[in-house]
Amino acid sequence: MSFTEEEKKKALQLYDETGSIAKVIHDLGYPSRQNMYTWIKNRNIEKKHKEYSFTNSP
């Protein structure tokens, strides 16, 4: 099953507020545990890439 970006955002926001994947799944009725782990991992990777903005200037 595919989820919209809005659904992912809502789930990740609830996770940030509660710190509990089980609570997110219980409250929203979606996603699976594996989806949440993947979304959290991908979000953290994106944040790291944004922190390290590379430029060619001296």
Side-chain angles (χ1 to χ4, degrees), residues 13-30:
Q13 183 178 8
L14 184 57
Y15 172 74
D16 289 340
E17 292 170 7
T18 64
S20 171
I21 290 174
K23 177 93 171 128
V24 171
I25 295 167
H26 179 265
D27 288 359
L28 298 180
Y30 73 90

Side-chain angles (χ1 to χ4, degrees), residues 21-47:
I21 290 174
K23 177 93 171 128
V24 171
I25 295 167
H26 179 265
D27 288 359
L28 298 180
Y30 73 90
S32 68
R33 240 181 210 304
Q34 186 58 49
N35 281 118
M36 278 302 299
Y37 284 122
T38 301
W39 296 348
I40 293 165
K41 177 183 170 188
N42 289 342
R43 179 180 67 169
N44 291 340
I45 290 171
E46 289 173 14
K47 282 183 182 180

